[in-house]
Amino acid sequence: YYTLKDAIANPKPIQKPHPPIWIGAGGDQMIRLVARYADVWNPSGAAREHTAEYSEKLEKACAAIGRDPATIRRATLLRWNGDAAQLLDDAGKAIEEGFTEHMIYLPEEQGGSAAHAVAEKLADLRALRS
């Protein structure tokens, strides 16, 4: 592990407000770090059926340090399998669980065709939030 001293970075990155800190975590120790430092949390590696359980752990970790859990945006990964109805259903469930950010995993072998198909559903996905 190396430490940089007197490194020059120009132009400087945004300082205030700082870029959002995203942490992907599900373990107890990492959930405590999310509660303390994250702007956005992704329960990386958690199956969709366990995200509510992980959210509860985050709520408790926030309560333990006096942080309002509503100040942490929640991100989830949705998988595209070619079924638009399934994607909309999964996104709707995630929204009900308090997830505000949705990343859609596209199978590499489908290339641009998957991206185009999902892009056609963006209006429907956005409508779920209203």
Side-chain angles (χ1 to χ4, degrees):
Y1 135 71
Y2 297 93
T3 302
L4 294 175
K5 293 183 180 181
D6 301 319
I8 298 171
N10 286 317
K12 299 281 187 216
I14 297 172
Q15 302 294 309
K16 291 184 182 178
H18 62 79
I21 297 171
W22 285 60
I23 299 178
D28 293 340
Q29 182 177 357
M30 289 302 294
I31 289 287
R32 288 191 298 273
L33 289 174
V34 170
R36 185 164 306 280
Y37 299 110
D39 298 304
V40 186
W41 167 63
N42 172 253
S44 62
R48 287 279 322 130
E49 59 268 14
H50 296 294
T51 54
E53 173 189 336
Y54 283 6
S55 284
E56 188 176 317
K57 286 182 179 184
L58 178 59
E59 304 263 339
K60 289 178 181 176
C62 287
I65 63 166
R67 181 172 182 185
D68 179 0
T71 63
I72 302 172
R73 297 182 349 238
R74 297 170 192 217
T76 190
L77 179 66
L78 304 172
R79 295 190 180 276
W80 172 254
N81 65 2
D83 184 346
Q86 183 65 54
L87 178 67
L88 292 170
D89 185 54
D90 290 346
K93 288 176 183 172
I95 290 168
E96 288 173 7
E97 292 175 1
F99 287 86
T100 58
E101 316 297 317
H102 301 90
M103 301 172 285
I104 301 172
Y105 174 79
L106 304 174
E108 185 177 337
E109 64 275 2
Q110 291 182 12
S113 65
H116 181 72
V118 170
E120 289 179 346
K121 295 298 167 196
L122 287 177
D124 295 332
L125 287 165
R126 288 184 179 114
L128 291 173
R129 292 187 179 190
S130 45

